[in-house]
Amino acid sequence: MMSVLSSIFGVGVQARNALYERGTLKKRRLQGPTISVGNIAVGGTGKTPFVILLGEVLKARGIAFDVLSRGYGRVSRGTAVVDPHGQPRDFGDEPLLIARRLGIPVVVGENRYEAGMLAEQKFGPQVHLLDDGFQHRALARDFDIVLLTADDIHDRLLPSGHLREPLSSLQRADAIVLSGGASPENIPLNNKLVWRSRRGLVPTNVPPSPVAFCGIARPKNFFLQLRLAGCPAAAEASYRDHHTYADADIRELLRLREQSEAGGFVTTEKDAINLGALAASLQPLAVVPVNMELRDADTAIDGMLAMIAARRGAEQHLTV
């Protein structure tokens, strides 16, 4: 039954993409160049760390940019500029994390074109990084980056698997970022740029034998990376992705610490945002950032900027 539903889902995806390819469904374009960072699977491929990585490279080159995001998990509606000191319920946990890490404008909105228009009204027609944008085809982009893991290559379409699109959709991408042990075999690359990335943790001041907990798409990866970094956990607890912590969760974690005789707690940056003031009850608590590294980053970014400049003609906003 699930395979039948996946087939139906795939037909719907292909039909929608065909409407965009034929121009039946129109795309709208912003003044500033738009770079999309996305994937073909549901969660867990490192889009947010990659957006932060790409943002750090652009900042180092003096290129002004903003980030456009849907703001998944927020209860607010409409388009808004993220307040870095705000709450995840208003902006979403990942937009808050990006705003805090990069110190640049982040605009959330269900309609990414309207979010981009607001960004251009407030900050000018600078470069836009479109977070989780591969399926958001209503907004035209100048460069499409797709992250791909080894799990994606062997996965199935929703609902029997985690894929939002089939591997054949990679034909739309300009650059495919391989991570998590992914290799280019059996991937429809066809002259696409292939970048290789590595995601890792930078654990500092982690309590001895901590309780490790997180609410992310692939918690097992976090726990494994902690062990590989020399920080094995006395106990582990996982919650659904984007989990908003409540008093009951804190009681559960404190009970787990007592049972396991753990020396404290360790979690991710995204979870720290969703903990908010409740983090004070989980001390000592180490918050571990997830960092992304891109092999031959300068060469990759040079190629991307050159391609964008060629597509848009003389582009004042980009420097190679």
Side-chain angles (χ1 to χ4, degrees):
M1 180 62 180
M2 294 294 282
S3 60
V4 173
L5 293 176
S6 291
S7 298
I8 294 172
F9 178 83
V11 169
V13 168
Q14 291 176 335
R16 177 176 178 271
N17 284 332
L19 292 175
Y20 276 108
E21 299 299 333
R22 291 198 297 263
T24 304
L25 293 177
K26 303 297 182 182
K27 305 174 187 178
R28 292 189 286 183
R29 183 174 295 276
L30 296 167
Q31 283 185 271
T34 300
I35 302 169
S36 169
V37 177
N39 64 2
I40 60 171
V42 178
T45 56
K47 294 185 299 296
T48 297
F50 193 88
V51 167
I52 292 171
L53 164 66
L54 185 54
E56 289 172 341
V57 174
L58 295 180
K59 285 185 72 173
R61 293 182 177 223
I63 298 174
F65 69 99
D66 52 60
V67 174
L68 309 179
S69 175
R70 178 177 53 161
Y72 183 86
R74 65 186 179 124
V75 297
S76 60
R77 303 289 294 176
T79 305
V81 179
V82 172
D83 175 3
H85 304 292
Q87 300 298 318
R89 65 175 178 269
D90 297 320
F91 304 110
D93 50 13
E94 289 168 345
L96 272 173
L97 175 56
I98 293 169
R100 293 176 185 179
R101 283 282 296 269
L102 292 176
I104 49 86
V106 178
V107 183
V108 295
E110 300 85 0
N111 185 313
R112 248 65 71 85
Y113 175 76
E114 292 180 0
M117 289 294 291
L118 177 61
E120 294 190 339
Q121 290 167 11
K122 288 185 172 291
F123 312 109
Q126 55 192 10
V127 173
H128 306 289
L129 297 186
L130 181 59
D131 180 36
D132 194 13
F134 193 55
Q135 286 77 36
H136 193 82
R137 302 199 62 186
L139 178 60
R141 67 287 314 273
D142 300 274
F143 198 85
D144 246 316
I145 301 170
V146 177
L147 279 67
L148 193 71
T149 70
D151 290 338
D152 299 336
I153 296 171
H154 304 290
D155 210 338
R156 297 180 178 181
L157 285 171
L158 292 166
S160 60
H162 298 89
L163 296 185
R164 299 191 277 190
E165 297 193 57
L167 288 177
S168 59
S169 292
L170 295 174
Q171 297 292 352
R172 298 203 313 272
D174 295 299
I176 298 171
V177 183
L178 302 179
S179 65
S183 62
E185 289 113 13
N186 302 320
I187 303 174
L189 297 176
N190 289 3
N191 299 320
K192 305 297 179 185
L193 296 174
V194 178
W195 299 347
R196 295 183 182 274
S197 70
R198 182 175 62 182
R199 183 168 49 168
L201 303 180
V202 186
T204 56
N205 301 318
V206 177
S209 300
V211 172
F213 69 96
C214 61
I216 59 177
R218 301 185 185 185
K220 290 183 180 179
N221 288 350
F222 175 63
F223 301 143
L224 174 60
Q225 288 171 339
L226 280 176
R227 290 194 292 274
L228 294 176
C231 301
E236 299 170 351
S238 59
Y239 302 87
R240 62 177 178 79
D241 196 11
H242 306 281
H243 179 64
T244 299
Y245 290 88
D247 290 334
D249 300 315
I250 303 304
R251 291 193 295 270
E252 176 184 286
L253 289 168
L254 290 172
R255 185 164 53 250
L256 189 57
R257 175 186 178 178
E258 182 178 357
Q259 292 171 348
S260 62
E261 299 182 347
F265 300 90
V266 60
T267 193
T268 72
E269 282 184 303
K270 188 166 83 169
D271 288 284
I273 288 174
N274 287 319
L275 276 168
L278 292 175
S281 301
L282 299 176
Q283 297 300 323
L285 170 65
V287 178
V288 178
V290 178
N291 288 341
M292 186 80 82
E293 295 179 5
L294 181 62
R295 186 185 300 178
D296 298 325
D298 285 337
T299 300
I301 301 307
D302 285 346
M304 177 186 75
L305 298 180
M307 188 176 294
I308 294 172
R311 288 173 174 175
R312 295 181 69 93
E315 179 55 67
Q316 297 178 349
H317 304 293
L318 299 178
T319 56
V320 179

